[in-house]
Amino acid sequence: MKELFDLTGNVALVTGATHGLGMAMATALAKAGATLVVNGNTPAKMERALELYRQNGIEAKGYLFDVTDEAAAQENIERIEQEVGPIAILVNNAGMIKRIPALEMEVADFRKVLDVDLTGPFIMSKQVGKHMVQRQAGKIINICSMMSELGRDTVSAYAAAKGGLKMLTRNLATEWARYNIQVNGIGPGYFATDQTAPIRVDGHPFNEFIIHRTPAGRWGDPEDLAGATIFLASRASDFVNGQILYVDGGILATIGKPSNE
Ligand code: GCO
Ligand code: CA
């Protein structure tokens, strides 16, 4: 049974894997046997990340490019295919958030978030997907969010993008299932990462709110994503198409409870 989840010999490209959830998911794939390719866009962060992977026993290869730049993405994907090997697993994790009330948000900021969180995964899926179609095999995992399903004050652009990413997942799954490519998503709940650091500080009302709102009663630990990532990257999910697997401690299962309980 363990073989179902074995990724030995498979090249996995994880975007935005120099830190946070991307790094945790990339680490899980490597520990399951995958050859890891890390995308990022800042040289210093990449250097630091490759050193952290090394300390963890993982010889990752780093490629610096912006996922919203189609020419750069295409060129780097060709290089990865030549230099490392055929990309078997693509994790579209690179993303960003802007927390600004809708009435105050500049359209340029809205567009920027859409570009990184939604158009980036489209570009990457298209450029890697064309190789996967030729090979009649591939796994694409799009990193969605609670905001693929729920709204919250200040995150209109992020919610619009992550809701869109859920539908992009279903649509690509529809187009490519016939080529034996499984496109699925992971929807992390509230995790302890740099992205949530500003709203997670002790005593911040949002910190208490999330712990209360999450049936499991805690923030997610990035390592909580390992199982879902390996599952959707492995043979174990060969007939799973267009699903979003929410790893959220139960948030989406419940309406919540009164604040005094
Ligand atoms: C926020 C959070 C979220 C999380 C995550 C939830 O401001 O509400 O940052 O957006 O990062 O995506 O699933
Ligand atoms: Ca972090």
Side-chain angles (χ1 to χ4, degrees), residues 2 17 34 36 46 55 59 65 79 101-102 107 126 132 147 151 201 218 221-222:
K2 275 196 305 205
L36 180 60
M46 179 63 81
Q55 285 168 16
E59 281 306 320
F65 62 96
R79 276 182 54 212
V107 172
K126 177 186 164 194
M132 290 177 164
M147 272 76 230
V201 277
R218 64 172 176 88
D221 178 325

Side-chain angles (χ1 to χ4, degrees), residues 1 9 18 27 58 67 70 85-86 98 138 142 169 171 209 219 232 246:
M1 266 304 172
T18 54
T27 299
I58 299 164
V67 297
E70 185 171 30
K98 285 187 186 285
N142 291 324
T169 302
N171 209 89
F209 165 68
W219 287 81
L232 292 177
Y246 289 101

Side-chain angles (χ1 to χ4, degrees), residues 15-36:
T15 67
T18 54
H19 60 282
L21 298 187
M23 180 174 262
M25 292 185 283
T27 299
L29 295 175
K31 294 285 179 191
T35 301
L36 180 60

Side-chain angles (χ1 to χ4, degrees), residues 184-216:
N184 290 290
I186 293 177
Y190 278 85
F191 277 72
T193 66
D194 294 345
Q195 197 209 54
T196 55
I199 53 178
R200 201 166 16 89
V201 277
D202 233 12
H204 191 299
F206 198 79
N207 182 43
E208 269 107 83
F209 165 68
I210 284 302
I211 292 170
H212 188 74
R213 178 67 182 77
T214 305

Side-chain angles (χ1 to χ4, degrees), residues 97 99 145-147 152 155 158 188-190 195-196 199 206:
I97 191 165
R99 298 185 181 98
S145 161
M146 291 295 91
M147 272 76 230
R152 159 171 129 65
V155 297
Y158 185 80
Y190 278 85
Q195 197 209 54
T196 55
I199 53 178
F206 198 79

